[in-house]
Amino acid sequence: HNLKTNINDFLKNDEKDKFISIKDAMILNDKLYLSYTKNLKPKSNCLNLSLVSAKINENDDKITLEAFEDFFTYDECLEARFNGYQSGGRIFDYKDNTILLTIGDFQNFIPAQDKNSYFGKIISIDVKDKSHKIISMGHRNQQGLYYDKEQDVILSTEHGQRGGDEINRIIDSKNEISNYGWPIASYSTYYGYEDKQIKKIAPFKKSHKDNGFIEPLIYFTPALGISQITHANNFEKFEKNIFLVTSMAKRKIVFVNI
């Protein structure tokens, strides 16, 4: 049945493009979490990727939602050209009472390599005290995310620009932020509009390793239009290294041996 919610209170500044605002949903314990593009400054269309949560109540087989509240947000925003494309937004249950969240670059090349920016990052957030840390950087648009508890491995899928879609193993290091190269290193190519200034910021060096970044486990050129990744064990008994990856451009599911 339909549940009454106050979610539109959070989308009120995206009246024109509500259909692309909510990015992902996850239920953890007794709460529903939603990621969405938050328009902090509607006049300049300045957005970020934030989280709201609502408590789920079950009474006599009837489910109700309490009011959504801000769960994770911040003051930083970027003036996105298309109301928050390349925003990431995938949520996944992690370990030690934390969740993982992907935040894309919102079509801006520079912030992904800025450690003081949330954009182009994967972060972990404590569900109890909301403390958070940046796990990885150098991302463009990480639309797929999976944490394998048995093997303690984070996998993420990421859209390249023109080609260069990636599957990455995300390293959660206590000592440093793992860097995956975007936009300095990428197996992408240019669309054609890029001028000399953009190409200086985004040189798309092909080798990640030779330039001090982490190589993708697998990359796809031409692009798949890569989306979510999940373990094949979630559907049937496969070997533990078989994963399923969805392709929007090819409209198919790809079996990947990692």
Side-chain angles (χ1 to χ4, degrees):
H1 63 278
N2 293 330
L3 298 177
K4 292 182 179 180
T5 81
N6 64 328
I7 190 61
N8 282 335
D9 292 346
F10 293 89
L11 309 181
K12 60 187 177 183
N13 293 322
D14 261 340
E15 200 65 41
K16 181 181 176 183
D17 288 307
K18 278 184 182 180
F19 73 101
I20 63 165
S21 189
I22 294 177
K23 300 301 178 185
D24 199 11
M26 183 189 71
I27 294 173
L28 181 62
N29 299 324
D30 62 347
K31 283 193 173 181
L32 171 63
Y33 296 86
L34 299 178
S35 61
Y36 75 107
T37 46
K38 182 177 183 179
N39 202 337
L40 271 70
K41 299 176 182 178
K43 288 185 179 179
S44 59
N45 202 37
C46 196
L47 301 101
N48 70 21
L49 195 289
S50 295
L51 286 174
V52 292
S53 65
K55 190 173 184 296
I56 303 169
N57 294 316
E58 292 186 63
N59 295 307
D60 299 325
D61 296 328
K62 184 179 181 181
I63 298 175
T64 58
L65 279 178
E66 294 184 9
F68 279 102
E69 298 177 346
D70 280 318
F71 176 75
F72 175 78
T73 190
Y74 42 96
D75 295 332
E76 183 187 10
C77 65
L78 291 174
E79 294 183 14
R81 285 174 286 174
F82 303 107
N83 271 34
Y85 288 159
Q86 288 175 218
S87 58
R90 188 68 72 181
I91 322 166
F92 210 91
D93 181 20
Y94 194 33
K95 57 186 176 181
D96 301 326
N97 295 311
T98 64
I99 59 175
L100 297 171
L101 175 67
T102 70
I103 304 174
D105 72 354
F106 279 64
Q107 298 183 310
N108 288 263
F109 287 105
I110 295 174
Q113 289 298 323
D114 181 357
K115 292 182 180 179
N116 296 311
S117 170
Y118 287 105
F119 292 95
K121 310 295 189 296
I122 296 177
I123 65 173
S124 65
I125 309 167
D126 191 295
V127 296
K128 292 183 176 179
D129 62 19
K130 302 182 184 179
S131 60
H132 57 277
K133 73 167 187 173
I134 295 174
I135 291 176
S136 63
M137 61 189 290
H139 300 292
R140 182 176 182 265
N141 185 17
Q142 324 88 293
Q143 207 163 32
L145 186 65
Y146 184 80
Y147 174 58
D148 188 312
K149 292 183 179 180
E150 183 181 337
Q151 301 181 74
D152 190 23
V153 170
I154 304 169
L155 296 173
S156 177
T157 60
E158 181 171 339
H159 291 277
Q161 179 165 289
R162 190 176 183 183
D165 285 359
E166 297 177 352
I167 300 176
N168 287 303
R169 177 179 180 176
I170 305 301
I171 299 171
D172 184 0
S173 170
K174 293 181 179 180
N175 302 318
E176 61 182 353
I177 299 171
S178 304
N179 196 328
Y180 292 81
W182 177 262
I184 297 171
S186 174
Y187 291 102
S188 303
T189 58
Y190 297 112
Y191 286 129
Y193 72 86
E194 298 85 357
D195 56 22
K196 288 183 179 179
Q197 185 177 0
I198 291 176
K199 289 181 178 180
K200 186 176 180 181
I201 298 167
F204 292 174
K205 297 176 181 179
K206 297 311 171 197
S207 173
H208 293 52
K209 184 178 179 181
D210 291 350
N211 292 284
F213 304 112
I214 299 171
E215 287 281 352
L217 294 176
I218 303 170
Y219 68 90
F220 300 88
T221 297
L224 291 177
I226 203 164
S227 190
Q228 181 63 310
I229 182 170
T230 191
H231 202 294
N233 273 354
N234 292 332
F235 299 93
E236 195 175 327
K237 191 64 180 175
F238 288 89
E239 295 178 21
K240 66 180 181 179
N241 54 339
I242 302 298
F243 290 82
L244 304 178
V245 175
T246 51
S247 163
M248 295 186 291
K250 306 296 183 182
R251 290 188 285 183
K252 63 183 180 182
I253 297 173
V254 181
F255 283 71
V256 181
N257 188 330
I258 298 178

